[in-house]
Amino acid sequence: MADKEGLKTAKNYRPEIPFAGGRLPGGIKGVGGLDWGMQRRMTHIFRPDDGKTVMLAFDHGYFMGSTSGLERLDLLIPELMDGVDVLMGTRGAFRTCVPSGNRCGLALRVSSGSSVLDDDLSHEVVAVGIEDALRLDADAMAVQVFIGADGEKESISNLSRCINEGLTYGIPTLGVVAVGKQMERTPRYFKLATRMIAELGAQIVKSYFCDELDEIVAACPVPIVLAGGKKLPEKDALEMVRRAMDCGVSGVDMGRNVFQSACPAAMARAVSMIVHADASAAEAWEAFREISHEKT
Ligand code: 5RP
């Protein structure tokens, strides 16, 4: 029986040693045990040549309605989709605002159940069934996981249901670390949440930047993508992406720091320079300024 007695703090992460488990071409980690079809969908999320991804997250409307920068998805997404690898959104957004002929990977928001009017966002359900995920040709299903929150058990149940159905039909699950209001954004918390999500069987984990991110990545046997979090000045956001890539994340899944940028297309391009061309933050910042100037 699991118990908490005698637990010792983990410390031997050895982040300098690359992951030794199953990998796909390009180094997508943790996929060795997956069916061929799931591996193929993982390559729609992570580029096969470098195992990295730039995901554009615009699923905020599932609990926020129209938020700053996302007022007109029908105008925003066609402008940005050529500059990113994956689109992360709701089924309502895809079917009404996103051209079906786009070449991006598709990460589908499948959990929901709260709104910004709720005091506690942690009580969600799996609102989108696997059949509709298949109908939309989704390459991943995104589920919010509220470790430590009141809705912890519900969100773990939601995640497990998606993993079970995803393994049956070949769609990877993206577990999104959702920091409940009462939770501290500490390395200890993120080490707990990311590893739990991976151990429960998610094929991808999304989490936030924090100290000791290299250890968090080393301890996670599947790819971690960085959520952008609240809007920062573009230069700071690019420095955060650079630092996260240096810690070993497999890319980013950014929303507000792209679509609330002064020039979203320029920001997407600058982020992609860091993720896929290993550019420095300074080089990406310079490119952002040049592209922004051209576009304004
Ligand atoms: C919203 C989400 C977003 O997909 C995730 O937070 C990334 O968006 P941002 O970069 O704006 O944080 O899960 O609940």
Side-chain angles (χ1 to χ4, degrees), residues 57 59-60 62-63 88 109 144 176 206 208 228-229 253-256:
D59 60 325
H60 306 60
Y62 89 92
F63 76 104
M88 176 167 166
R109 160 65 57 185
Q144 220 73 352
V176 181
K206 175 158 70 164
Y208 291 88
D253 182 11
M254 295 178 89
R256 288 161 286 178

Side-chain angles (χ1 to χ4, degrees), residues 34-44 169-172:
L34 298 181
D35 174 67
W36 186 88
M38 255 180 134
Q39 290 187 358
R40 176 176 162 78
R41 283 196 169 98
M42 287 291 277
T43 66
H44 295 167
Y169 293 97
I171 302 182

Side-chain angles (χ1 to χ4, degrees), residues 185 190 206-211 213-214 217 224-258 267 270-271 274-275 279-282 284-285:
R185 290 173 179 245
F190 287 118
K206 175 158 70 164
S207 190
Y208 291 88
F209 190 85
C210 68
D211 292 338
L213 181 58
D214 59 339
V217 170
I224 290 182
V225 293
L226 181 82
K230 67 183 189 312
K231 178 69 178 70
L232 300 170
E234 281 83 354
K235 190 168 184 288
D236 296 349
L238 292 170
E239 285 169 358
M240 176 180 70
V241 171
R242 182 66 265 169
R243 289 174 63 198
M245 294 304 294
D246 292 341
C247 288
V249 302
S250 299
V252 299
D253 182 11
M254 295 178 89
R256 288 161 286 178
N257 276 289
V258 174
M267 190 60 180
V271 169
I274 297 173
V275 172
S280 68
W285 167 238

Side-chain angles (χ1 to χ4, degrees), residues 37-38 41 91 95 106 108 110 128-141 165-172:
M38 255 180 134
R41 283 196 169 98
R91 61 178 168 179
R95 286 199 165 103
L106 192 158
L108 180 63
V110 297
V128 181
I130 190 79
E131 297 85 357
D132 209 28
L134 288 164
R135 209 176 287 126
L136 283 157
D137 195 23
D139 296 298
M141 297 180 288
E165 294 179 350
L167 285 167
T168 301
Y169 293 97
I171 302 182

